[in-house]
Amino acid sequence: MSSNEESRFSFFSKKKTPVIDESNLKIPTHIAVIMDGNGRWAKKRMLPRSAGHRAGADNLKTLCKNCGHYGIKYVTVYAFSTENWSRPESEVHTLMELFVEYFDRYDPELEQEGIRVRFTGDIAGLPENIQAVCKRAEEGSKHRNRMTLIVAFNYGGRREIVQSCQKLAMQVKEGKIDASEITEEMFAQNLYLPDVPDPDLIIRPSGEERTSNFLVWEGAYSELWFSDVLWPDFGMKELTEALVAYTKRDRRFGGLSKEK
Ligand code: FPP
């Protein structure tokens, strides 16, 4: 990258938000975020973990607004993994309660922003009241088309892959397809949301650098971006930094870059 190009993405350290020429940013169609660090955020303030999750849920609204500003079409967030059931019962209860509360409380704002809500995960494995919340939020937001917010709840990438295999195995058993004819496309068609494009960029705040069973199949060629900021503090500055980094990436999908 030339020094001229670098200067277009320069940051003025005293300002909170990076000063950039937004017209030079490459905007991903789909970003996915692992909302990590709620517990540490609360601990730093000597608050209970539940306060961290509440702050994290509030920050999801900010993320949607900020992604809307950049014209990002799909935003997937990791809200509850298939492994999170192993947390203390009281914490699982808090997360379920927050989930139920969230879509009623923020629906007017989601409507105003034109945000459709969808869910990904083993939804059938959730308690009935949670399944009803998912159904209501999806049905009530179907008409919105500015952005789609996908909430991964009771989600595990490995479980999603296993469930896709089960659906295909059933089709083989019923004689509808031949096992030897199964392709990557057919496999992808049996994942939770086959019509959603793969994430271009996966962001993980909080200093951890792993993807923790998130979008295992869909994220095969996603760019990864990590930040030390804890999720409840992840704002416009961090999103913009992620987009600046994404703009500089050379996505080759196993091929060669255009200059070669
Ligand atoms: C990880 O932080 C976060 C979670 C397991 C839950 C994420 C959930 C929310 C942000 C709120 C609920 C979402 C909706 C849609 C209502 P952690 O608790 O592992 O943090 P730590 O690593 O600092 O302990």
Side-chain angles (χ1 to χ4, degrees):
M1 181 171 286
S2 72
S3 60
N4 202 20
E5 270 177 299
E6 285 283 8
S7 67
R8 284 194 267 135
F9 300 123
S10 64
F11 287 66
F12 296 116
S13 55
K14 284 191 189 118
K15 295 232 168 113
K16 258 195 121 203
T17 305
V19 176
I20 49 144
D21 177 355
E22 288 182 10
S23 65
N24 288 313
L25 285 179
K26 196 161 74 187
I27 302 298
T29 302
H30 183 177
I31 71 161
V33 181
I34 300 174
M35 303 188 289
D36 191 20
N38 297 344
R40 278 162 286 168
W41 183 93
K43 196 171 176 198
K44 267 171 74 180
R45 289 161 180 79
M46 297 204 292
L47 293 169
R49 289 180 61 81
S50 57
H53 291 314
R54 192 162 282 281
D58 281 344
N59 198 40
L60 176 54
K61 185 187 64 176
T62 306
L63 176 77
C64 290
K65 244 194 167 107
N66 292 342
C67 288
H69 168 84
Y70 282 118
I72 294 165
K73 294 307 278 181
Y74 296 89
V75 178
T76 299
V77 290
Y78 208 4
F80 192 87
S81 75
T82 45
E83 290 73 34
N84 286 152
W85 293 106
S86 67
R87 294 195 176 202
E89 210 181 304
S90 61
E91 182 162 342
V92 170
H93 183 73
T94 297
L95 288 166
M96 296 293 154
E97 260 187 358
L98 263 179
F99 185 84
V100 172
E101 206 186 291
Y102 194 84
F103 297 99
D104 285 335
R105 183 153 159 229
Y106 288 123
D107 196 61
E109 289 177 55
L110 294 169
E111 168 80 39
Q112 207 173 18
E113 297 280 330
I115 300 176
R116 178 178 180 188
V117 181
R118 296 180 75 181
F119 297 90
T120 185
D122 187 359
I123 305 301
L126 284 163
E128 270 177 25
N129 68 319
I130 305 284
Q131 290 189 45
V133 169
C134 296
K135 202 166 170 214
R136 208 166 50 238
E138 282 191 334
E139 291 291 324
S141 68
K142 253 185 178 148
H143 59 285
R144 305 177 194 156
N145 57 15
R146 190 161 161 251
M147 186 207 287
T148 301
L149 168 65
I150 300 162
V151 180
F153 209 76
N154 198 22
Y155 178 87
R158 288 180 174 178
R159 185 170 301 178
E160 183 180 26
I161 287 171
V162 167
Q163 291 188 338
S164 175
C165 289
Q166 288 170 339
K167 288 185 226 166
L168 286 166
M170 198 57 81
Q171 291 176 44
V172 172
K173 193 176 163 202
E174 288 166 358
K176 291 183 181 153
I177 55 169
D178 195 285
S180 64
E181 288 166 4
I182 295 172
T183 62
E184 289 186 14
E185 287 71 25
M186 286 161 74
F187 196 91
Q189 278 306 309
N190 285 281
L191 296 173
Y192 294 136
L193 298 177
D195 59 314
V196 171
D198 288 343
D200 301 294
L201 173 65
I202 297 179
I203 293 173
R204 182 170 194 155
S206 92
E208 314 287 351
E209 300 194 350
R210 57 179 171 269
T211 52
S212 302
N213 203 15
F214 190 37
L215 303 176
V216 173
W217 176 279
E218 301 87 336
Y221 273 100
S222 302
E223 296 296 324
L224 305 177
W225 191 79
F226 302 103
S227 159
D228 286 337
V229 165
L230 302 173
W231 165 249
D233 293 328
F234 188 97
M236 190 55 143
K237 176 175 175 283
E238 290 71 27
L239 177 66
T240 305
E241 283 174 3
L243 295 179
V244 168
Y246 176 78
T247 299
K248 294 178 188 171
R249 302 275 174 95
D250 178 19
R251 301 188 76 193
R252 296 190 294 279
F253 299 95
L256 297 179
S257 63
K258 285 190 193 100
E259 302 92 71
K260 285 181 185 154

